[in-house]
């Protein structure tokens, strides 16, 4: 195992290029199970999670290779219907092979992903949607065993206690593409990653109306064909570099992101006194000397993303006054608070709220990465802090940030890896 060392409090400068979106790539790679024909997916980020999805596709009987940022998935014999615990438990995104397997093979046995440090993370909405399409579902020894003689179109409401679900929408949508008749998904997730999945499915021959809205209408087709496709830029990676620039007051040029996917963040930073400017597909920040505290509430898209909450909290730790974060997607996603305390932050948690009293400066410290986005928050804190920060278990970062250390070094940061 390796740890990431950061010598903080240095001015950063330069340009960073945003990679393809992890959370778009994962369901799109899973969607290749819906066809026997070859699929070529470009701009796939080289990450631990996309490597896990490649392994999973191979374990299901596909030939799946990554060359540069291009993934080629081809058939080589018959498809298997079992997604094993070892691959699903390391990455929840693996659970979205359930819908495609069921649509293609009429049966699937997929391990339940289990909880993780950001919360309980149930799959009831996935199962509700697939059941509505005519699937018999049983839970056997930690696996979802799903069978359907014929999937048939229906109307299903996929809103849950915390709003719409990204991967439940992906699973039900993919299953519906090959169902008989019309399926309407009400309260569908409208994240750009789901929109990108819809475009990929359309490129494969699927018939979907309402793309990008909370109401997806799918007319089932008999078969889908291969397709070539480009993954969208990663809005969470882009948001992380924007927050890193804001927190270190740096002049960084962020290239290749979709500004339109970042409005909730841009608006919050504007309220704090930081203007985010987009010119010719390059994002830059204009900083004001004194930042203003704000309140941030996470919501499904187009609301403020939970996947940027930890990174925003790091910025708030040095913002004068009292800032508040309310987590409405994963009410327990606050494990980073304890680590930020170790760096001198003043944060109090009350239920799903975090109350942050700005301090003058953070100090470097050894800290523990617990999940991907919490770790990204610690990287930002480490870059702002005086002295040396050691981020243990840095493999969490490798799940979702392509070439993080190289990109940071390219901006002039002093970061390096050491063996634990
Ligand atoms: N939920 C249910 N029942 C379900 C499914 C979800 O109650 O059947 C709840 C969840 O517990 C949560 C809320 O609904 O409170 C939203 O969860 P959602 O299902 O949308 O999350 P997900 O699809 O499992 C994806 C991303 C996450 C991101 C969330 C929210 C992927 C691979 N993962 O997860 O990304 O936080 O949407 O935007 O797309 C990350 O990249 O670090 C990450 C965790």
């Amino acid at each position: 195992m390796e740890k990431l060392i950061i010598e903080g409090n240095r001015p950063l400068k330069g340009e960073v290029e945003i990679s393809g979106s992890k959370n778009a790539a994962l369901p799109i790679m899973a969607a290749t199970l819906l066809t026997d024909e070859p699929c070529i997916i470009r701009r796939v980020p080289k990450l631990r999670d996309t490597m896990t999805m490649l392994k999973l596709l191979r374990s299901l009987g596909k030939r799946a290779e990554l060359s540069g940022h291009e993934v080629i998935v081809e058939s080589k014999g018959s498809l298997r219907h079992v997604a094993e615990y070892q691959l699903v438990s390391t990455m929840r995104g693996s659970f979205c092979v359930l819908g495609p397997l069921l649509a293609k093979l009429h049966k699937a046995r997929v391990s339940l992903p289990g909880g993780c440090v950001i919360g309980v993370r149930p799959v009831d909405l996935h199962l509700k949607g697939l059941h509505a399409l005519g699937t018999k579902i049983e839970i056997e020894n930690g696996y979802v065993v799903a069978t359907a003689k014929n999937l048939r179109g229906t109307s299903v409401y996929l809103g849950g206690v915390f709003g719409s679900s990204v991967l439940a929408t992906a699973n039900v949508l993919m299953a519906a593409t090959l169902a008989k008749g019309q399926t309407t998904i009400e309260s569908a997730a409208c994240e750009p990653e789901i929109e990108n999945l819809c475009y990929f499915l359309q490129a494969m021959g699927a018939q979907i109306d309402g793309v990008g809205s909370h109401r997806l209408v799918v007319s089932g087709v008999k078969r889908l064909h291969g397709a070539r496709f480009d993954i969208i830029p990663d809005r969470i990676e882009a948001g992380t570099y924007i927050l890193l620039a804001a927190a270190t007051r740096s002049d960084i040029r962020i290239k290749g992101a979709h500004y339109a996917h970042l409005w909730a963040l841009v608006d919050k930073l504007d309220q704090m006194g930081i203007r985010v400017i987009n010119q010719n597909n390059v994002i830059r920040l204009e900083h004001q000397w004194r930042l203003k505290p704000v309140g941030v509430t996470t919501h499904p898209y187009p609301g403020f993303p939970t996947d940027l909450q930890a990174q925003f909290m790091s910025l708030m730790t040095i913002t004068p006054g009292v800032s508040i974060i309310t987590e409405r997607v994963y009410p327990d996603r606050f494990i980073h608070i304890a680590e930020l305390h170790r760096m001198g932050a003043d944060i109090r948690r009350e239920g799903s709220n975090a109350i942050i009293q700005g301090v003058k400066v953070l100090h470097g410290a050894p800290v523990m990465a617990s999940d991907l986005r919490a770790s990204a928050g610690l990287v930002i804190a480490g870059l702002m802090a005086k002295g040396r920060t050691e981020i243990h278990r840095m493999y969490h970062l490798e799940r979702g940030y392509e070439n993080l250390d190289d990109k940071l070094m390219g901006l002039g940061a002093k970061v390096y890896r050491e063996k634990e």
Side-chain angles (χ1 to χ4, degrees), residues 22-24 26-27 49 91-94 96 116 118-128 160-169 189 191 193 234-236 299-301 305-307 328-331 333 371-374 399-401:
K22 164 179 88 79
N23 289 348
L26 294 175
D49 278 10
M91 180 184 81
R92 275 186 70 87
S94 306
C96 65
C116 68
I118 70 173
V120 183
R121 303 188 78 181
V123 292
D124 56 311
L125 297 171
H126 301 239
L127 304 187
K128 176 185 174 186
V161 184
F162 301 104
S164 53
S165 160
V166 176
L167 291 179
T169 302
E191 270 65 6
E193 294 76 19
D234 195 313
R235 65 191 167 102
I236 303 301
H299 285 294
Y301 190 82
T306 173
D307 287 345
R328 282 267 159 75
V329 180
Y330 294 113
R333 196 177 200 175
D371 79 276
L372 170 58
R373 307 305 173 186
R399 292 190 52 187
Y401 290 95

Side-chain angles (χ1 to χ4, degrees), residues 110-140:
V110 178
S111 171
L112 279 164
C116 68
V117 291
I118 70 173
V120 183
R121 303 188 78 181
V123 292
D124 56 311
L125 297 171
H126 301 239
L127 304 187
K128 176 185 174 186
L130 296 174
H131 178 71
L133 285 167
T135 309
K136 185 173 157 230
I137 291 173
E138 281 164 323
I139 307 295
E140 267 178 24

Side-chain angles (χ1 to χ4, degrees), residues 176-201:
T177 58
L178 292 179
K180 197 161 189 291
Q182 195 176 77
T183 300
T184 304
I185 305 175
E186 300 285 358
S187 196
C190 67
E191 270 65 6
E193 294 76 19
I194 291 294
E195 192 181 43
N196 209 213
L197 170 65
C198 287
Y199 290 141
F200 178 60
L201 294 168

Side-chain angles (χ1 to χ4, degrees), residues 132-347:
L133 285 167
T135 309
K136 185 173 157 230
I137 291 173
E138 281 164 323
I139 307 295
E140 267 178 24
N141 309 110
Y143 280 73
V144 173
V145 181
T147 41
K149 263 208 182 104
N150 285 304
L151 291 173
R152 47 178 161 66
T154 185
S155 292
V156 62
Y157 177 77
L158 281 193
V161 184
F162 301 104
S164 53
S165 160
V166 176
L167 291 179
T169 302
N171 254 330
V172 179
L173 169 69
M174 290 191 276
T177 58
L178 292 179
K180 197 161 189 291
Q182 195 176 77
T183 300
T184 304
I185 305 175
E186 300 285 358
S187 196
C190 67
E191 270 65 6
E193 294 76 19
I194 291 294
E195 192 181 43
N196 209 213
L197 170 65
C198 287
Y199 290 141
F200 178 60
L201 294 168
Q202 285 177 334
M204 296 173 85
Q207 292 191 7
I208 308 169
D209 284 328
V211 176
S213 79
H214 285 300
R215 185 168 197 261
L216 294 173
V217 182
V218 187
S219 302
V221 294
K222 284 228 160 60
R223 56 182 291 281
L224 294 175
H225 51 75
R228 273 173 191 269
F229 195 71
D230 285 337
I231 300 289
I232 47 169
D234 195 313
R235 65 191 167 102
I236 303 301
E237 190 198 21
T240 301
Y241 282 101
I242 290 174
L243 284 165
L244 184 157
T248 57
R249 296 185 172 230
S250 302
D251 186 17
I252 297 178
R253 293 158 54 83
I254 299 156
K255 276 185 74 182
H258 275 350
Y259 188 77
H261 292 165
L262 291 160
W263 272 113
L265 173 64
V266 169
D267 187 59
K268 265 305 152 205
L269 288 173
D270 191 58
Q271 287 173 31
M272 292 180 84
I274 301 171
R275 278 190 64 213
V276 183
I277 302 154
N278 181 36
Q279 251 173 7
N280 307 325
N281 216 17
V282 175
I283 293 175
R284 291 181 69 169
L285 273 60
E286 270 179 11
H287 308 270
Q288 262 186 21
W289 186 236
R290 194 178 161 85
L291 296 180
K292 291 193 276 288
V294 287
V296 169
T297 303
T298 64
H299 285 294
Y301 190 82
F304 190 93
T306 173
D307 287 345
L308 287 175
Q309 181 256 104
Q311 301 90 313
F312 209 101
M313 188 181 288
S314 293
L315 169 63
M316 287 168 157
T317 61
I318 48 118
T319 302
V322 177
S323 302
I324 298 179
I325 289 181
T326 304
E327 182 48 80
R328 282 267 159 75
V329 180
Y330 294 113
D332 288 322
R333 196 177 200 175
F334 283 127
I335 207 152
H336 40 285
I337 293 180
E339 303 306 307
L340 290 171
H341 279 161
R342 308 195 68 255
M343 301 179 74
D346 181 351
I347 308 168

Side-chain angles (χ1 to χ4, degrees), residues 13-30:
K13 208 171 170 49
E15 199 166 272
V16 63
E17 178 90 36
I18 297 308
S19 299
S21 160
K22 164 179 88 79
N23 289 348
L26 294 175
I28 286 174
M29 289 166 76

